[in-house]
Amino acid sequence: MSLALDAAAQDLLFREAQTANTFTDEPVTDEQVQAIYDLVKYAPTAFNQSPLRITLVRSEDARKRLVAHAMGANGPKTLAAPLTVVLSVDLDFHEKLPRLFPALPNVKDDFFSEAGYREVAGTQNATLQAGYFILGIRAAGLAAGPMTGFDFTGVDKEFFGDGKQKSFLVINVGKPAADAFFPRSPRLSFDEAATTV
């Protein structure tokens, strides 16, 4: 069975796309990032909660502040990338639910009044949105270098001092340089990953 998506798009989004470690100095514009977001915002989240928040780290000062919380090689990679984004979950995402999910006007209070549950649900759905965001970066003809090797508690204090957002992923974005990719690692086969019950 073939997929509806043509082979070139499959290659762009999946088969030939890899995590980039180095980038050219070609800038990534705000317009490109907005186009990426305007595409991926339509992907699903539970109750359309849309808890992902995206912080574009552009200034030299902000990059240095972010890199202070990086582990190992993530610091130099981040300083050299044309754009870095910090992805976080909005812990008060429920405040927007009356507008985002009008089918259930009381969803904010009926499902998400408790902060601990809200953080779990928001983190699950923001993580889902992060995957969509990476695919959007690829769809724009750019490469993504996602990283979890950061002290996210430190990142949160540095950038989100009010405690309303909780970071979980940093992504370098740009055109990949000639030496951007490591050799592709193996993947599990369908039979290893899937079970029929």
Side-chain angles (χ1 to χ4, degrees), residues 55 57 62-63 65-66 69 86 154-161:
T55 302
V57 182
R63 282 179 181 275
R65 288 166 45 215
L66 177 61
H69 305 286
V86 175
V155 172
D156 293 345
K157 288 178 183 173
E158 192 73 49
F159 291 93
F160 314 122

Side-chain angles (χ1 to χ4, degrees), residues 5-79:
L5 199 64
D6 68 46
Q10 293 172 42
D11 288 344
L12 179 70
L13 297 177
F14 297 102
R15 287 194 292 252
E16 292 182 6
Q18 292 184 252
T19 295
N21 294 287
T22 60
F23 299 88
T24 69
D25 59 2
E26 183 177 330
V28 177
T29 66
D30 288 344
E31 292 78 16
Q32 286 173 298
V33 179
Q34 183 170 344
I36 291 164
Y37 178 77
D38 285 342
L39 175 65
V40 303
K41 70 182 179 183
Y42 294 107
T45 56
F47 295 104
N48 195 34
Q49 61 188 247
S50 307
L52 182 70
R53 300 295 176 263
I54 303 160
T55 302
L56 280 63
V57 182
R58 289 201 181 275
S59 73
E60 185 176 344
D61 174 65
R63 282 179 181 275
K64 288 179 180 176
R65 288 166 45 215
L66 177 61
V67 164
H69 305 286
M71 298 175 189
N74 290 340
K77 286 195 292 189
T78 299
L79 288 174

